[in-house]
Each structure stands twice: as structure tokens, then as C-alpha cells.
Amino acid sequence: MYRSRHHKMIAGVCGGIAERFGMAPTTVRLLFLLSCILPGPQFILYLIMWVFVPKAPAYSR
């Protein structure tokens, strides 16, 4: 899994998850925002993924 270079708003984490599972990036972002209403470590997990998940490789032609 990689952070998205094309579907990113902040760090590309939600875009990368969307690309990995074949979903729309907007859907993943909305699900993340809705999950932040619930108690839990969602925001901390996002920060951890931002740090440890690499960016998608740049393809040059």
C-alpha cells in the first residue's frame, strides 16, 4: 500500500486506501470523517500512516 500522489488532500492516506481497495477517494474521506465522531484512535492512526506508509512511486516516461 502506498499514499496516493494523485488523490491527495493532506497526505494521500485516504486516497491510497481508496486506490488499494478500488473505492472512490471521496467515500473513504467521508467514512474517515464520520469515524472521527466515534471514540477511538482514528486520528492517531492517520498520523502513523502518514509517517510510515511510503508515497507511491513516481512513474516517469
Side-chain angles (χ1 to χ4, degrees), residues 7-23:
H7 300 114
K8 68 184 236 178
M9 292 190 88
I10 297 174
V13 173
C14 290
I17 291 171
E19 289 175 1
R20 170 67 175 90
F21 293 105
M23 300 172 67

Side-chain angles (χ1 to χ4, degrees), residues 13 19 21 29 36-37 39 41-43 46 50 54 58 60-61:
V13 173
E19 289 175 1
F21 293 105
R29 289 183 191 111
C36 286
I37 296 171
Q42 296 88 332
F43 188 70
Y46 185 92
W50 186 349
S60 61
R61 292 182 175 198

Side-chain angles (χ1 to χ4, degrees), residues 11 17 21 24-25 34 36 38 40 47 53 56 58:
I17 291 171
F21 293 105
L34 289 173
C36 286
L38 302 171
L47 293 175
V53 174

